[in-house]
Amino acid sequence: MKSLWFYYLQSFKDIVSHGTIFTTLILSVLFYSFFYPTAYQAQQAEALPIIIVDEEQSSLSTRIIGQVAQSPNVEIEAITGNFAEAKQWVESQKADGILLLPDNLSQSLRHGETGGIGLYLSTANFLVTKQIGLGLATSVEQTLADYTERFGQVSDFSPALSVHQIPLFNPLSGYGSYVFPAVAPLIIHQTILLGLSMLILVYRERKVELNANALIGMCLAVFTIGCLGCFYLFGFSFWLFDYP
């Protein structure tokens, strides 16, 4: 009976000599290591559509709208005074968020309150709506802070609830660093499963009798390639594209 080492080495020869198996086990890993990072290279979404509901229609609300319009994260699709109309835009997926400027905004700020500004975001895509929230929060807070400095009874403005976001596992808060680390193990798993199945099928077509040593040697060869693929993806690819 031939040794386990013989079948182990023979499996590598069969993988290299069979183009389909070689492509599945090795070339596909190389391809996907560049395909996914390149597709999500932008990392952050820009110009996300929002609707602004301006109930007050004052100089303050105009300043807020102008400040929001300068944010690269959002794009104002429409300005309306009807909240129900804005809600229909979001429900029909024509917009991803609503910024509500209430009719008592200026009066509320003069009394030292936060103004009652409302931000409504669609949760269909969490990463997208997260970018809208960050863009709007920065623009609105700065405008309100500048406005309240004009009144003596309000010396400082700060939101009622201060939220400090500290990403633990995705410090870049981007699409690529969110998607690829999750997809990489799946790529390795699927290439191992498909490659091993195809290799067994080739032996069956050749009517090669597979004993215990042959099966173990074949599995070890495929798993070795899978481990090398892990080292490549989790080592080189993560380093190359600066993923956490």
Side-chain angles (χ1 to χ4, degrees):
M1 180 181 293
K2 296 179 180 179
S3 66
L4 176 63
W5 180 251
F6 170 82
Y7 288 111
Y8 178 73
L9 296 179
Q10 184 62 39
S11 297
F12 282 109
K13 296 178 181 179
D14 293 334
I15 290 171
V16 173
S17 62
H18 200 284
T20 305
I21 301 177
F22 180 78
T23 301
T24 302
L25 280 174
I26 299 176
L27 295 185
S28 62
V29 176
L30 296 174
F31 171 75
Y32 282 116
S33 68
F34 290 96
F35 173 77
Y36 276 102
T38 302
Y40 296 100
Q41 192 171 9
Q43 288 279 22
Q44 303 288 351
E46 295 182 353
L48 301 172
I50 66 167
I51 305 297
I52 296 182
V53 179
D54 186 5
E55 295 181 347
E56 187 175 67
Q57 297 184 359
S58 63
S59 60
L60 173 59
S61 62
T62 302
R63 290 176 59 185
I64 293 176
I65 294 173
Q67 190 70 24
V68 170
Q70 298 177 10
S71 173
N73 294 326
V74 298
E75 180 178 353
I76 301 175
E77 290 292 324
I79 301 175
T80 179
N82 189 338
F83 184 81
E85 179 184 352
K87 185 178 178 181
Q88 291 179 355
W89 278 68
V90 175
E91 291 177 348
S92 60
Q93 298 183 352
K94 295 180 180 179
D96 293 320
I98 301 173
L99 176 62
L100 173 63
L101 305 178
D103 53 4
N104 63 338
L105 176 59
S106 300
Q107 188 69 21
S108 175
L109 289 176
R110 291 172 184 174
H111 288 87
E113 301 173 357
T114 57
I117 295 178
L119 179 58
Y120 303 85
L121 302 176
S122 170
T123 57
N125 190 326
F126 176 73
L127 286 178
V128 168
T129 54
K130 175 176 175 290
Q131 286 301 113
I132 295 178
L134 292 176
L136 292 180
T138 303
S139 301
V140 172
E141 184 176 348
Q142 182 60 42
T143 304
L144 296 183
D146 295 340
Y147 181 82
T148 52
E149 289 179 358
R150 298 168 52 188
F151 301 95
Q153 68 270 31
V154 181
S155 59
D156 181 57
F157 171 81
S158 60
L161 178 62
S162 180
V163 178
H164 300 278
Q165 295 188 357
I166 304 177
L168 295 179
F169 305 106
N170 186 8
L172 299 178
S173 297
Y175 290 111
S177 54
Y178 165 75
V179 173
F180 187 70
V183 172
L186 184 62
I187 294 174
I188 297 297
H189 174 269
Q190 293 300 307
T191 54
I192 289 177
L193 181 62
L194 291 175
L196 184 58
S197 301
M198 294 168 66
L199 189 58
I200 294 176
L201 181 61
V202 168
Y203 289 150
R204 290 292 299 271
E205 290 179 346
R206 296 177 181 176
K207 297 182 180 180
V208 176
E209 184 177 352
L210 298 177
N211 52 36
N213 283 342
L215 287 174
I216 296 174
M218 180 173 51
C219 291
L220 289 177
V222 174
F223 291 155
T224 299
I225 295 175
C227 290
L228 294 176
C230 288
F231 295 150
Y232 169 74
L233 287 181
F234 302 132
F236 175 76
S237 295
F238 276 42
W239 167 81
L240 180 63
F241 295 100
D242 196 24
Y243 289 151

